[in-house]
């Protein structure tokens, strides 16, 4: 039997995913995600954009040093400074890759004020330079889908001649449809001289909800690398979701006979980790990893499931690493049970971390009779969020609320190790608590989003609160969970402020326009 063609999985959660507004990750969080991606069989990890900041450079370098099986890739714009910096970071990997790109569509040529010929020359120079440093070079014509086909063919040929080994065709704005995505890949493979010596990649954004379909169509047309992110994290509506393309190739192997090297039983763990770290909750009905992806409520469905799971499920929960979720924890559960349960959920904790979580778990179990998996995930999210971002902490909060306005909040924050107390009033308990925080930590950040989710059912359910704030173009999110919604709100707000302080220290993001 002939072996099925292999499709390479290129994960860009740490680069394109981390670029999505508010999804900033700490150094330790990036290393943890990279280790898991490597372990689950991701072929290429795009670890960051080394020129963007000292933090990005340090993360890419360390991920490169720690890498085991994956190729480690860094992003660079079309200039020598970016490419040199990228090489300095990725060169520590067993298998390094430089990924350099430039916007080739008329809109992008206009922004960079380069004529077609001047841009072609720049592509030749920069890809040659990258290839002189590294044997493995990926080149991307950003906004390829909206680039004139003749010009696209011309620049792809130039990049191949200059030494690019992978040509990535991005649908930067999520504009294409499956038939067009396939046609462009087919055209390049058939008409560009030298195309048979390189790998073509597809990189799709999800603005019209077609990223996964467009990626799969590109594979059918000959692309052999799919760029994607865990949970589809990414700018705007995000990217192709790793879990969707990998499971689609697995489940529909009959009509798409391609294989990937991904251990799918690690998918749920990766999804939970990225959700925890990015602060982006996974929507309930998200394909493959959503809370409802394997839930059956209607009588007919439940009956069918009991008789034969295949009646209403095209994959088994265990295929993506979902273990039995019925084991409910309570106040009598001990450390060993908690450790095992967290392990099943994808959290491998050191003894000191377990101790901290155990104390929080007991406090929760005292307030809540049954602690479900989702409660524990929320608790972990809260613990991880609090670990690195501890310049400001909520020490005490008491709110007086009810039918008589105004509501008032007494608050103690520990700021850089010193307790500070204040009382403030507001229009409702959350407003009062936020006003109290603002009195102690004055700022000009604008609240863009305030969202409350009940994690489980019942009036004693934990609430997860998400807060998104913006200051001078910097966007941050904070999340917290508690059985008291006002406490969770206050902690989420403080969490976002902590992230803002981290972002202020890190400086401004770099611009794609700067190619010179
Ligand atoms: O979407 C895009 O065009 C990108 C490029 C940098 C490859 O992310
Ligand atoms: Zn992208």
């Amino acid at each position: 039997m002939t072996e099925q063609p292999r499709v390479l999985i290129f994960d860009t959660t740490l680069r394109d995913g981390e670029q999505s507004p508010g999804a900033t990750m700490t150094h330790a969080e990036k290393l943890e995600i990279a280790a898991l991606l490597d372990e689950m069989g991701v072929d290429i990890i795009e670890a960051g954009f080394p020129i963007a900041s000292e933090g990005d450079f340090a993360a890419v370098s360390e991920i490169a040093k720690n890498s085991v099986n994956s190729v480690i890739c860094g992003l660079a714009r079309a200039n020598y400074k970016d490419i040199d910096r990228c090489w300095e970071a990725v060169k520590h990997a067993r298998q390094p890759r430089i990924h350099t790109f430039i916007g080739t569509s008329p809109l992008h040529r206009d922004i960079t004020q380069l004529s077609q010929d001047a841009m072609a020359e720049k592509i030749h120079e920069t890809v040659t330079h990258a290839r002189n440093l590294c044997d493995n070079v990926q080149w991307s014509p950003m906004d390829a889908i909206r680039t004139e086909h003749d010009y696209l063919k011309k620049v792809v040929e130039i990049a191949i001649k200059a030494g690019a080994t992978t040509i990535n065709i991005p649908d930067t704005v999520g504009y294409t449809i499956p038939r067009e995505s396939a046609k462009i890949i087919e055209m390049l493979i058939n008409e560009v001289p030298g195309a048979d010596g390189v790998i073509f990649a597809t990189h799709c954004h999800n603005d019209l909800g077609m990223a996964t379909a467009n990626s799969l169509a590109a594979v059918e047309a000959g692309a052999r690398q799919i760029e994607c992110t865990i949970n589809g994290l990414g700018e705007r509506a995000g990217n192709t979701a790793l879990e969707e393309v990998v499971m689609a190739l697995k489940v529909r192997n009959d009509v798409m006979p391609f294989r990937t090297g991904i251990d799918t039983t690690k998918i749920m763990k990766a999804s939970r980790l990225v959700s925890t770290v990015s602060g982006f909750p996974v929507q309930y009905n998200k394909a493959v990893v959503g809370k409802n992806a394997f839930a059956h409520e209607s009588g007919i469905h439940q009956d069918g499931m009991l008789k034969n799971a295949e009646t209403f499920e095209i994959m088994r929960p265990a295929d993506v690493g979902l273990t039995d979720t019925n084991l409910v924890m309570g106040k009598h559960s001990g450390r060993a049970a908690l450790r095992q349960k967290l392990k099943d959920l994808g959290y491998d904790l050191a003894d000191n971390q377990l101790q901290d979580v155990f104390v929080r778990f007991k406090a929760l179990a005292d307030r809540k009779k049954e602690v479900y998996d989702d409660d524990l995930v929320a608790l972990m999210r809260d613990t991880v969020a609090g670990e690195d971002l501890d310049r400001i902490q909520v020490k005490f909060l008491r709110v007086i609320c009810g039918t008589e306005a105004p509501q008032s909040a007494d608050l103690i924050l520990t700021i850089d190790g010193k307790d500070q107390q204040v009382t403030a009033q507001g229009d409702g308990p959350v407003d009062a608590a936020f006003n109290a925080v603002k009195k102690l930590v004055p700022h000009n950040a604008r609240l863009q989003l305030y969202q409350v989710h009940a994690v489980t059912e019942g009036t004693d359910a934990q609430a997860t609160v998400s807060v998104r704030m913006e200051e001078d173009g910097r966007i941050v999110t904070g999340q917290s969970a508690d059985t008291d919604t006002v406490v969770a709100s206050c902690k989420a707000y403080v969490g976002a402020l902590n992230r803002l302080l981290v972002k202020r220290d890190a400086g401004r993001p770099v611009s794609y326009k700067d190619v010179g």
Side-chain angles (χ1 to χ4, degrees):
M1 212 178 89
T2 50
E3 220 184 358
Q4 294 183 341
R6 171 82 186 263
V7 175
L8 300 173
I9 297 297
F10 176 111
D11 183 281
T12 182
T13 306
L14 296 173
R15 201 278 299 168
D16 211 322
E18 211 236 356
Q19 265 171 233
S20 59
T24 324
M25 300 169 190
T26 67
H27 186 78
E29 289 166 346
K30 289 180 186 173
L31 298 193
E32 193 182 352
I33 291 176
L36 179 55
L37 296 175
D38 195 329
E39 189 187 317
M40 74 192 276
V42 166
D43 299 285
I44 305 109
I45 298 173
E46 186 159 56
F49 192 178
I51 196 93
S53 68
E54 287 303 322
D56 251 50
F57 180 81
V60 178
S61 309
E62 207 166 333
I63 289 169
K65 285 179 195 150
N66 296 347
S67 59
V68 183
N69 297 310
S70 307
V71 171
I72 303 300
C73 172
L75 186 69
R77 289 164 301 185
N79 67 67
Y80 286 10
K81 216 169 136 203
D82 269 44
I83 293 170
D84 291 344
R85 190 75 173 145
C86 178
W87 173 241
E88 281 310 304
V90 296
K91 70 177 182 192
H92 307 285
R94 291 184 188 181
Q95 307 174 75
R97 174 182 291 189
I98 295 173
H99 176 192
T100 180
F101 75 98
I102 192 165
T104 51
S105 66
L107 286 161
H108 284 272
R109 293 200 306 269
D110 208 37
I111 288 176
T112 49
Q113 305 228 307
L114 289 173
S115 67
Q116 287 199 353
D117 287 346
M119 182 169 283
E121 181 54 30
K122 189 173 271 297
I123 293 164
H124 170 73
E125 280 171 8
T126 49
V127 176
T128 304
H129 182 67
R131 185 58 201 263
N132 285 337
L133 296 169
C134 182
D135 283 347
N136 191 336
V137 173
Q138 171 167 327
W139 180 73
S140 297
M142 185 165 73
D143 206 12
I145 299 294
R146 295 191 297 173
T147 300
E148 305 92 324
H149 287 185
D150 282 344
Y151 188 58
L152 185 62
K153 285 189 272 183
K154 176 176 166 169
V155 287
V156 167
E157 182 180 349
I158 288 171
I160 294 174
K161 285 213 174 100
T165 46
T166 299
I167 301 291
N168 175 39
I169 302 301
D171 179 19
T172 306
V173 290
Y175 180 69
T176 199
I177 59 168
R179 198 181 313 155
E180 183 184 52
S181 170
K183 259 175 88 175
I184 290 177
I185 295 287
E186 235 162 53
M187 171 189 79
L188 295 172
I189 291 178
N190 293 333
E191 296 179 33
V192 173
D196 53 348
V198 298
I199 289 188
F200 278 87
T202 174
H203 176 113
C204 298
H205 282 264
N206 202 33
D207 300 63
L208 292 174
M210 285 187 280
T212 296
N214 291 334
S215 300
L216 294 174
V219 169
E220 287 192 293
R224 290 293 173 267
Q225 177 179 300
I226 300 178
E227 306 210 355
C228 48
T229 59
I230 303 289
N231 297 341
L233 198 66
E235 301 236 38
R236 308 181 310 278
N239 290 66
T240 299
L242 179 146
E243 60 277 8
E244 292 177 10
V245 281
V246 168
M247 290 313 288
L249 289 175
K250 189 176 164 119
V251 171
R252 293 314 311 271
N253 196 259
D254 55 336
V255 287
M256 292 198 70
F258 301 97
R259 65 198 167 89
T260 73
I262 300 294
D263 173 359
T264 64
T265 65
K266 299 260 175 4
I267 281 179
M268 215 54 220
K269 180 173 175 178
S271 168
R272 283 181 170 139
L273 178 61
V274 169
S275 168
T276 303
V277 157
S278 64
F280 279 44
V282 175
Q283 81 197 49
Y284 279 17
N285 57 342
K286 175 128 181 80
V288 184
V289 292
K291 189 177 148 94
N292 288 355
F294 296 96
H296 304 272
E297 188 156 322
S298 86
I300 297 174
H301 284 221
Q302 286 184 349
D303 185 52
M305 283 299 296
L306 290 172
K307 291 181 176 137
N308 179 355
E310 277 180 35
T311 0
F312 290 106
E313 273 183 7
I314 55 168
M315 53 198 146
R316 302 295 300 142
D319 295 342
V320 295
L322 258 183
T323 48
D324 185 4
T325 53
N326 291 331
L327 179 62
V328 179
M329 307 282 292
K331 66 177 176 188
H332 300 299
S333 308
R335 261 188 202 76
L338 180 66
R339 186 197 285 279
Q340 185 54 48
K341 187 72 185 169
L342 289 173
K343 201 161 175 224
D344 292 343
L345 291 172
Y347 302 101
D348 239 335
L349 300 187
D351 286 346
N352 59 334
Q353 289 171 309
L354 181 70
Q355 180 50 29
D356 181 29
V357 176
F358 188 67
V359 172
R360 286 161 156 262
F361 161 70
K362 281 285 172 187
L364 178 63
D366 268 342
R367 283 182 284 157
K368 206 174 174 300
K369 250 196 351 259
E370 292 170 322
V371 179
Y372 296 96
D373 287 4
D374 287 333
D375 288 317
L376 289 174
V377 171
L379 187 95
M380 285 306 298
R381 184 177 291 156
D382 219 30
T383 309
V384 174
E387 255 171 24
D388 297 309
L389 313 165
D390 50 4
R391 280 190 63 187
I392 314 169
Q393 283 172 346
V394 178
K395 185 170 185 183
F396 171 88
L397 175 67
R398 183 166 39 217
V399 176
I400 300 169
C401 63
T403 51
E404 300 303 310
Q407 285 69 30
S408 78
D410 292 327
L411 175 73
I412 301 177
L413 292 182
T414 308
I415 303 174
D416 290 330
K418 270 177 63 190
D419 288 352
Q420 298 195 33
Q421 183 165 10
V422 79
T423 299
Q425 295 186 332
D427 188 2
V430 175
D431 193 47
F434 282 20
N435 286 341
V437 172
K438 202 163 177 189
K439 265 189 169 175
L440 290 178
V441 188
H443 61 81
N444 292 322
R446 205 170 54 84
L447 185 68
Q448 279 193 333
L449 173 104
Y450 168 74
Q451 220 168 42
V452 184
H453 285 287
V455 175
T456 48
E457 281 91 48
T459 48
D460 66 348
Q462 284 197 99
T464 291
V465 177
S466 305
V467 163
R468 187 160 75 201
M469 291 164 69
E470 184 264 335
E471 184 191 68
D472 296 335
R474 299 179 180 94
I475 295 175
V476 289
T477 55
Q479 258 199 0
S480 186
D482 200 283
T483 50
D484 185 320
T485 308
V486 186
V487 171
S489 304
C490 187
K491 285 185 174 173
Y493 187 50
V494 166
L497 285 177
N498 276 313
R499 289 200 168 221
L500 206 54
L501 297 179
V502 173
K503 275 224 163 181
R504 276 181 194 158
D505 293 346
R508 293 211 135 274
V510 290
S511 154
Y512 277 163
K513 286 182 223 160
D514 178 16
V515 295

